[in-house]
Amino acid sequence: MRIARFTTGEDPVYGLVDGAGEKIAEVTGDPLYQRIELTGATHRVEDVRLLAPVIPRSKIIGIGKNYADHAAEMGGEPPAEPLMFLVPNTAVVGPGDPVVLPPQSSEVHYEGELAVVIGRLCKDVEPEDALGVIFGYTCANDVTARDLQRGDGQWARAKGFDTFSPLGPWIETDLDISDLRLVTRRDGEVVQDGTTADMVHGVAALISHASKAFTLLPGDVILTGTPAGVGPIESGQRVEVEIEGIGTLSNPVIRH
Ligand code: MG
């Protein structure tokens, strides 16, 4: 299933998106927490405003340097154990929402990533059990103020600004993520072209590692790291993160 959160001008609701990504069938309730039923209402996707498919109630767990080619371009080796950081849920925006460049930074980068949405409360998950706690997958842009990341010594501010965690366009619940092409475009130009097969630590290992530190809750999101090709974004540009089998997350960049 492809589960979208959207609005037609009223309160946000959820819906099931068809395979072509053109139609959306409205459902009752929140699929993360409740049984859902079709309401009978359908919309064209182009006629609704898609919202971030999940607003994590608890946390976004980012993973740093999880592709060897990206670790190399940052000037190092991938860490032996997954390197985790936390992003506040106030950083989340949805498809089409602007990424707002903050005045504190003059070097903001895109990072196209596969995001894992957790579906069950869990703790101390072993890797062989990890796929059972996944609700689904979506596209993410782990926007990073690179200059502040270097200067601050830790990454909370550099990755946690409002609008720095675009998610969407929807959650795909049935997906083999072992080898999915991940492409990032800046103003239409391909700037990252990788595959999830190149993750240093796979999704099962990441969930296990994270859950041995933190209780994971439904709606928590794990950003699984970015392949090589990160680079700057400027006001007026648009970034698209496309993952095979999911779709395309597209966001304009602005500076107030
Ligand atoms: Mg990242």
Side-chain angles (χ1 to χ4, degrees), residues 63 85 111 113 142 159 225-226:
I63 306 294
F85 56 91
E111 294 187 358
E113 308 201 2
D142 176 26
K159 289 172 176 287
T226 198

Side-chain angles (χ1 to χ4, degrees), residues 49-67:
R49 180 181 164 214
L50 294 177
L51 304 170
V54 59
I55 302 289
R57 294 186 185 181
S58 166
K59 55 194 167 296
I60 301 163
I61 301 166
I63 306 294
K65 300 180 184 174
N66 198 34
Y67 287 75

Side-chain angles (χ1 to χ4, degrees), residues 119-238:
R120 287 175 34 196
L121 185 151
C122 56
K123 173 73 177 166
D124 294 334
V125 179
E126 294 303 331
E128 57 267 31
D129 300 322
L131 295 185
V133 308
I134 296 172
F135 181 75
Y137 305 91
T138 192
C139 308
N141 188 351
D142 176 26
V143 179
T144 304
R146 199 68 75 197
D147 46 358
L148 303 185
Q149 183 184 31
R150 287 190 297 265
D152 283 357
Q154 50 92 352
W155 304 354
R157 182 169 66 141
K159 289 172 176 287
F161 281 99
D162 288 357
T163 76
F164 269 27
S165 201
L167 298 175
W170 39 65
I171 296 170
E172 174 57 71
T173 60
D174 305 303
L175 194 62
D176 174 359
I177 51 88
S178 57
D179 184 12
L180 297 178
R181 190 172 179 197
L182 189 164
V183 173
T184 306
R185 297 182 202 86
R186 180 181 53 201
D187 280 351
E189 175 199 359
V190 173
V191 286
Q192 293 186 289
D193 189 352
T195 164
T196 58
D198 288 343
M199 285 185 197
V200 175
H201 305 284
V203 165
L206 297 179
I207 290 171
S208 178
H209 188 76
S211 75
K212 289 179 179 180
F214 315 125
T215 297
L216 302 182
L217 300 182
D220 282 353
V221 169
I222 300 178
L223 307 177
T224 58
T226 198
V230 300
I233 45 178
E234 303 291 345
S235 182
Q237 293 185 319
R238 175 171 288 272

